[in-house]
Amino acid sequence: MMWVDALVPHAKALHLGFMAVWVAGLIALPQMLARHDRAIVQGEFAQIRRATHYGYVWLITLAAVL
């Protein structure tokens, strides 16, 4: 079981890293959603919405799960 003891600090570091990404995403999410202004050009709105959606689904949610 010596290899398990050596693995624990690495697992904790990964966990803290994923937690940091998740918390940063939760803090940034309201700022990203505040940029959803329909008064801007449709192309810019679509780009901001796509970036917000994929960032939340593929980065923030994945970090929360891991």
Side-chain angles (χ1 to χ4, degrees):
M1 286 297 208
M2 296 298 277
W3 64 273
V4 174
D5 294 334
L7 190 64
V8 169
H10 299 289
K12 285 184 179 185
L14 268 173
H15 175 71
L16 288 175
F18 286 129
M19 287 286 294
V21 170
W22 179 61
V23 169
L26 290 179
I27 291 170
L29 185 61
Q31 296 171 355
M32 293 188 304
L33 292 175
R35 295 197 58 190
H36 283 149
D37 184 14
R38 292 196 180 266
I40 62 175
V41 179
Q42 180 64 29
E44 291 177 11
F45 175 77
Q47 182 181 8
I48 291 169
R49 190 194 176 292
R50 196 176 318 113
T52 302
H53 176 74
Y54 287 119
Y56 185 77
V57 169
W58 292 107
L59 182 66
I60 299 169
T61 303
L62 184 63
V65 170
L66 293 176

